[in-house]
Amino acid sequence: MAANVNPTVRRRRLGSELRKLREMKGMTAEEVAARLLVSQSKISRLENGRRSISQRDVRDLCGVYGVEDHRIVDSLMQMAKESRQQGWWHAFGDVPYSVYIGLETDAVSLRAYDSLIVPGLLQTPEYARAVIEGMWPEATVAEVEKRIQVRLKRQERITDQISPVRFWVVLDEAALRRVTGDERIMSEQLEHLVQCSTMPHVTLQILPYSVGAHPGMYGEFAILEFEDASDASVVYLEGMTSDLYLEKPNDVQDYCMMYEHLRALALNPDQSRQFMSQLAQEYAP
C-alpha cells in the first residue's frame, strides 16, 4: 500500500461509490440486502465506510448492480484491498475512536468547538494524562500510557512541517478554568496554547463566560474537511460509548453555521492570546 493511502478514507470513498452505483440502479439498501442474503445494516455500514469492505463484497455488489466495465470493477477492488490495510494507529492495538483518528489523519482542515477540555491536538503530555485518568478512572496504567502515546502521535498533524492540518478552535472559558491535574499543569498547558496559537495554521479563540447563552451549548463537535472533493465533509460528535458522524450536506451546513456564530461571539485571536497568558500567570506557582 502506498504510504499516503489512508484505509479509513478509502473505506468512505469506496462506500460512496457503491452507494452511487446502487442509486443508479434504482435499488434500495433493503432490496440489495435481500438479493445477497445479508442484513440491511451491513449494506448501510458498507456504504457509510464504518465497516471493512472485502473484495468479495465488491464483486457481489457489482454483480447485483450489473457493472460490466472491468476498469470500474478493478478500481473498486483495488480500493477494497487498500481499505483493509492498517493505519498507524493499529500499531497501538484496540484504540478508542479509531475511525475519527483515521479521518483526522487525512483531513486538510479541522474546526473544533470544545467546552470542557483542551482539544487533544493541543494538549501537553501531563495535561493529557490528567484528562485520561480523570475521564477513565478504571483504566490500567498501560491503557493510560497507550492513550497518551496515541494522543501525542496525533499531534503530528499540527507539527508537520510540510502539510499540517489547518486547525481552527473555539474553546470555552470553562475548559481553562477547570483545574485539570493541578495549577502547575494548567499554567504549562495555557502557555502551550499561547505558543500553538502563534502558528500560522492554528487559530485559537476563547469563548468567555460573558457571552452568556450560545449555540455551542448543544455540545462539543468537530468539522473535518478533506482535500479530495469526492470526500464529503464530516461532523464528529464524541460520545461515551459510541460516536456519531454526520455527513448529510444539510447537517454539515447547520454545524458550519453554528461554528461561525461561535467564532463571532468569541474573543479575537489576539485577545484570546492575552486572556490565556494572563490566566497562565494566575496559575503559575
Side-chain angles (χ1 to χ4, degrees):
M1 182 181 70
N4 63 344
V5 171
N6 183 314
T8 302
V9 174
R10 273 291 187 268
R11 284 200 302 271
R12 291 185 67 232
R13 194 171 299 167
L14 176 54
S16 177
E17 293 300 322
L18 292 173
R19 183 186 302 111
K20 291 177 183 176
L21 290 174
R22 174 177 60 77
E23 292 172 346
M24 289 174 59
K25 189 68 174 178
M27 299 181 69
T28 66
E30 290 83 357
E31 291 171 335
V32 175
R35 285 280 299 274
L36 295 179
L37 301 178
V38 299
S39 67
Q40 186 272 329
S41 63
K42 175 180 178 177
I43 302 302
S44 296
R45 291 197 299 272
L46 291 177
E47 292 185 351
N48 64 27
R50 303 290 177 264
R51 179 189 175 110
S52 180
I53 306 178
S54 69
Q55 291 179 303
R56 179 176 180 176
D57 290 330
V58 170
R59 182 199 64 191
D60 292 346
L61 289 167
C62 284
V64 172
Y65 302 148
V67 181
E68 298 180 353
D69 189 328
H70 292 293
R71 293 172 300 179
I72 295 177
V73 176
D74 290 345
S75 176
L76 296 176
M77 294 280 275
Q78 179 62 27
M79 291 173 69
K81 181 179 179 180
E82 293 172 349
S83 74
R84 296 179 70 83
Q85 301 296 323
Q86 294 189 336
W88 64 259
W89 52 94
H90 289 96
F92 292 89
D94 185 19
V95 177
Y97 56 88
S98 59
V99 172
Y100 173 77
I101 294 175
L103 296 175
E104 181 185 79
T105 299
D106 208 58
V108 294
S109 74
L110 172 60
R111 286 174 283 175
Y113 166 67
D114 287 276
S115 60
L116 298 176
I117 59 175
V118 172
L121 292 182
L122 302 179
Q123 293 178 4
T124 65
E126 286 191 277
Y127 180 90
R129 180 183 301 279
V131 168
I132 292 167
E133 290 178 344
M135 294 184 67
W136 294 281
E138 75 285 357
T140 65
V141 173
E143 289 172 335
V144 170
E145 292 301 324
K146 179 177 71 173
R147 294 192 183 207
I148 292 172
Q149 292 306 310
V150 170
R151 195 154 302 185
L152 296 179
K153 177 68 175 177
R154 288 171 52 207
Q155 292 179 4
E156 292 181 7
R157 293 296 288 118
I158 296 294
T159 59
D160 191 307
Q161 296 297 312
I162 299 175
S163 57
V165 66
R166 181 68 177 92
F167 195 25
W168 285 272
V169 182
V170 175
L171 185 59
D172 196 286
E173 181 178 346
L176 307 181
R177 295 291 184 183
R178 180 178 296 279
V179 178
T180 302
D182 56 34
E183 292 191 345
R184 178 188 61 81
I185 290 175
M186 290 300 298
S187 180
E188 293 175 354
Q189 175 63 72
L190 283 160
E191 291 290 356
H192 181 65
L193 289 177
V194 170
Q195 294 175 7
C196 290
S197 71
T198 64
M199 296 179 178
H201 53 280
V202 175
T203 301
L204 177 56
Q205 293 179 253
I206 303 302
L207 189 67
Y209 286 146
S210 59
V211 302
H214 57 81
M217 295 174 76
Y218 282 107
E220 301 174 347
F221 64 93
I223 305 169
L224 301 98
E225 296 178 315
F226 306 90
E227 184 174 15
D228 195 313
S230 63
D231 296 323
S233 298
V234 179
V235 175
Y236 170 68
L237 306 174
E238 183 177 358
M240 179 178 177
T241 58
S242 62
D243 302 326
L244 183 61
Y245 299 86
L246 306 178
E247 301 180 49
K248 293 181 179 179
N250 288 343
D251 291 336
V252 174
Q253 182 61 30
D254 286 345
Y255 274 90
C256 288
M257 290 292 294
M258 184 191 302
Y259 196 78
E260 291 308 308
H261 284 300
L262 292 172
R263 288 187 60 194
L265 290 169
L267 302 175
N268 67 40
D270 289 336
Q271 293 170 332
S272 298
R273 195 173 297 115
Q274 182 178 9
F275 182 94
M276 292 184 293
S277 295
Q278 292 175 345
L279 189 54
Q281 293 176 6
E282 294 177 19
Y283 281 131

